Amino acid sequence: MTEHAQPLSQIGAETSLEVGVGHMLLNIADPHPGHEREYTRWYEDDHFFSSAMMAPFVFAGRRWVAPAYLRRLQYGRPGGEYSNSSRGSYAATYWIAPGHLNDYFAWAAGTGPQLDAQGRNFTERQLAFVSFADQVGTVYRDDRAPRDVFSLMDPPGGMVVQLIDAPDSTDRDATASWLLDEFLPARLAREEASVLSVLVFRGAADTSGMRPALQDLQRKADNDGRRLVLLWFLEGDPRDEWEREFDSLPKAIAASGHGTVEWTAPFVPAHMGTDDYADSLGLA
């Protein structure tokens, strides 16, 4: 019996075992030019596991990539932070079980300094977006679409990250309800819809256990409590559906009065364990 066996058995006996996507960690970043392969191998061979998948209650993870041809499709609000942006060549998404986000923070408070002390960080990268978020709800195209708990395990053809800002922080819940109850169901019900599901998140309500180094990133990601993060999961390559599914979204959402699209960025699943996309990122 290891020294941790008894405490772990107590946790297993006493903790909530609710199954579901309770929370999300989303990380979007770019390696510095010339470090594409080095970054990929560090992230997939070490960081993906040691900083996330080995954590308690993180039950699924997936890495995504946006080669140059996909980043050319992304768009941001004119004049906003992501206008004319071509950032975000890699994304990583992780599902955390309901009610256990602060358990993740507690674990990271110990492992983060240990990894730093061991030199297992990577400085030749630039973060584009990092968010810890609580799930608000999921909309499915039909009953054949995989449940959201499986969406990272058997990945779909593509994923689109979309940031939507409500007019004010007091409007965010109303905007989320409108998206989940009206806008997204109508959008996915169209006969030609290629979207399997859309998950809607808002910034984590309780970040008291978060490491100080992440708190500034979280505040920025949450945009003063106005922001919602949507993950659109697609049947196929985002290029095939971009004009039909995504070109009209900013106008439709703005016309509703419920919010503004700040950034929309497409990805495809990375071939994890390989360097297949390193030469197609087009970083400069």
Side-chain angles (χ1 to χ4, degrees), residues 49 130 162 186:
F49 297 101
V130 178
Q162 189 167 61

Side-chain angles (χ1 to χ4, degrees), residues 42-147:
W42 164 77
Y43 198 100
E44 292 186 355
D45 297 345
D46 187 351
H47 194 67
F48 179 83
F49 297 101
S50 61
S51 288
M53 293 303 295
M54 292 172 66
F57 307 109
V58 176
F59 68 89
R62 171 62 55 177
R63 197 164 185 239
W64 310 81
V65 61
Y69 62 79
L70 279 184
R71 297 203 312 284
R72 284 192 288 267
L73 295 177
Q74 66 175 248
Y75 54 78
R77 176 179 59 81
E81 179 183 357
Y82 295 96
S83 63
N84 302 317
S85 173
S86 61
R87 290 181 287 171
S89 49
Y90 283 109
T93 48
Y94 304 93
W95 296 160
I96 301 172
H100 290 294
L101 184 57
N102 270 312
D103 291 319
Y104 173 84
F105 291 149
W107 180 85
T111 57
Q114 180 186 170
L115 293 171
D116 289 344
Q118 294 172 1
R120 293 165 64 182
N121 208 337
F122 191 88
T123 58
E124 298 294 335
R125 57 174 172 151
Q126 180 68 41
L127 294 174
F129 186 78
V130 178
S131 178
F132 290 91
D134 301 331
Q135 190 195 25
V136 186
T138 301
V139 175
Y140 300 97
R141 184 184 65 187
D142 51 41
D143 58 9
R144 294 173 297 169
R147 285 181 56 212

Side-chain angles (χ1 to χ4, degrees), residues 1-14:
M1 181 177 292
T2 69
E3 61 180 309
H4 301 297
Q6 187 59 36
L8 289 176
S9 68
Q10 292 175 357
I11 292 172
E14 299 170 2

Side-chain angles (χ1 to χ4, degrees), residues 3-284:
E3 61 180 309
H4 301 297
Q6 187 59 36
L8 289 176
S9 68
Q10 292 175 357
I11 292 172
E14 299 170 2
T15 191
S16 167
L17 298 179
E18 179 184 353
V19 175
V21 180
H23 317 277
M24 170 189 68
L25 165 56
L26 170 63
N27 180 307
I28 304 177
D30 294 290
H32 293 170
H35 296 271
E36 293 87 348
R37 284 179 171 77
E38 184 184 2
Y39 173 73
T40 292
R41 294 277 51 84
W42 164 77
Y43 198 100
E44 292 186 355
D45 297 345
D46 187 351
H47 194 67
F48 179 83
F49 297 101
S50 61
S51 288
M53 293 303 295
M54 292 172 66
F57 307 109
V58 176
F59 68 89
R62 171 62 55 177
R63 197 164 185 239
W64 310 81
V65 61
Y69 62 79
L70 279 184
R71 297 203 312 284
R72 284 192 288 267
L73 295 177
Q74 66 175 248
Y75 54 78
R77 176 179 59 81
E81 179 183 357
Y82 295 96
S83 63
N84 302 317
S85 173
S86 61
R87 290 181 287 171
S89 49
Y90 283 109
T93 48
Y94 304 93
W95 296 160
I96 301 172
H100 290 294
L101 184 57
N102 270 312
D103 291 319
Y104 173 84
F105 291 149
W107 180 85
T111 57
Q114 180 186 170
L115 293 171
D116 289 344
Q118 294 172 1
R120 293 165 64 182
N121 208 337
F122 191 88
T123 58
E124 298 294 335
R125 57 174 172 151
Q126 180 68 41
L127 294 174
F129 186 78
V130 178
S131 178
F132 290 91
D134 301 331
Q135 190 195 25
V136 186
T138 301
V139 175
Y140 300 97
R141 184 184 65 187
D142 51 41
D143 58 9
R144 294 173 297 169
R147 285 181 56 212
D148 50 18
V149 291
F150 299 112
S151 52
L152 305 184
M153 298 178 184
D154 186 8
M159 177 185 75
V160 174
V161 176
Q162 189 167 61
L163 310 183
I164 296 178
D165 288 347
D168 188 82
S169 61
T170 58
D171 301 315
R172 185 169 66 174
D173 287 350
T175 298
S177 295
W178 171 75
L179 286 167
L180 291 166
D181 298 338
E182 299 181 40
F183 183 76
L184 292 174
R187 193 90 185 177
L188 271 60
R190 295 173 304 153
E191 184 175 344
E192 73 276 14
S194 62
V195 179
L196 293 167
S197 61
V198 185
L199 279 70
V200 178
F201 297 87
R202 61 184 167 218
D206 184 2
T207 59
S208 57
M210 183 183 289
R211 294 175 68 193
L214 290 175
Q215 288 179 353
D216 288 342
L217 290 172
Q218 181 65 29
R219 280 191 290 268
K220 181 180 179 181
D222 205 27
N223 194 20
D224 296 324
R226 295 173 54 207
R227 180 155 294 160
L228 296 166
V229 180
L230 277 60
L231 299 185
W232 299 68
F233 290 108
L234 314 180
E235 280 190 309
D237 190 307
R239 289 176 295 176
D240 300 335
E241 315 297 341
W242 197 252
E243 182 177 357
R244 181 174 63 189
E245 296 285 7
F246 295 99
D247 274 355
S248 63
L249 281 177
K251 287 185 178 179
I253 292 173
S256 73
H258 285 286
T260 304
V261 175
E262 185 68 19
W263 191 35
T264 305
F267 297 87
V268 292
H271 299 153
M272 295 181 68
T274 76
D275 297 332
D276 286 353
Y277 290 98
D279 293 330
S280 61
L281 299 182
L283 300 175

